[in-house]
Amino acid sequence: MLEWAAMVKLTAFTAGAALLILELLGVRLLSPTFGSSIMVWSSVIAVFLGAMAVGYFVGGHLGDRYPQRWLLAVILFVSAILVAIATFISYPTAAAIGQARLAGLWAPAVATLAIMGLPSACLLYTSDAADELDGVDLGGRRI
């Protein structure tokens, strides 16, 4: 069985890999409505970079404030639920935003933010929360 520090690092690595997969999935989910142009790719990359910044910031704050194992488990569970919801709402949401009177450049970005913004930020809460847990013993004291 893996020891705690290795499991935390593996969790952070897996969350990062899941984010990359979610980014590629985001382009595939938007392509029926907006195509697969450079604007769609740029919008997806921009939204995911913004979500990464928010995720790292919030995850660091939560990890500093509550360096507990339950927080990491709750974040992973909520992330999984949000990713599952995002895949189900992607087509109707992208179609509705595509039919709205948005400028052509903003529609893919708004759709990506609406569909994948929160799940991707929540996935990255795990990295900083796991980083904080890596330096905490079972009693909750900083090492």
Side-chain angles (χ1 to χ4, degrees):
M1 186 165 156
L2 291 173
E3 67 179 62
W4 173 248
M7 288 177 60
V8 168
K9 290 176 184 170
L10 182 64
T11 301
F13 175 78
T14 306
L19 181 75
L20 180 61
I21 292 168
L22 187 63
E23 187 173 354
L24 296 173
L25 177 68
V27 172
R28 294 287 295 168
L29 292 174
L30 292 177
S31 63
T33 305
F34 301 109
S36 185
S37 67
I38 191 74
M39 294 310 300
V40 173
W41 277 97
S42 299
S43 298
V44 169
I45 291 170
V47 167
F48 272 79
L49 285 174
M52 287 172 73
V54 170
Y56 286 137
F57 178 77
V58 174
H61 177 71
L62 289 175
D64 284 340
R65 189 162 172 96
Y66 307 106
Q68 304 292 328
R69 290 182 179 183
W70 62 266
L71 178 66
L72 188 60
V74 167
I75 290 171
L76 286 172
F77 180 73
V78 169
S79 298
I81 297 296
L82 289 174
V83 168
I85 290 171
T87 57
F88 286 114
I89 68 164
S90 63
Y91 292 119
T93 304
I97 292 172
Q99 292 175 352
R101 300 250 182 225
L102 291 172
L105 300 177
W106 290 103
V110 171
T112 305
L113 185 61
I115 297 168
M116 297 289 177
L118 190 59
S120 58
C122 195
L123 261 175
L124 282 170
Y125 295 170
T126 57
S127 295
D128 278 344
D131 184 41
E132 293 298 323
L133 276 176
D134 196 19
V136 175
D137 69 358
L138 293 178
R141 296 179 309 272
R142 296 294 297 167
I143 296 176

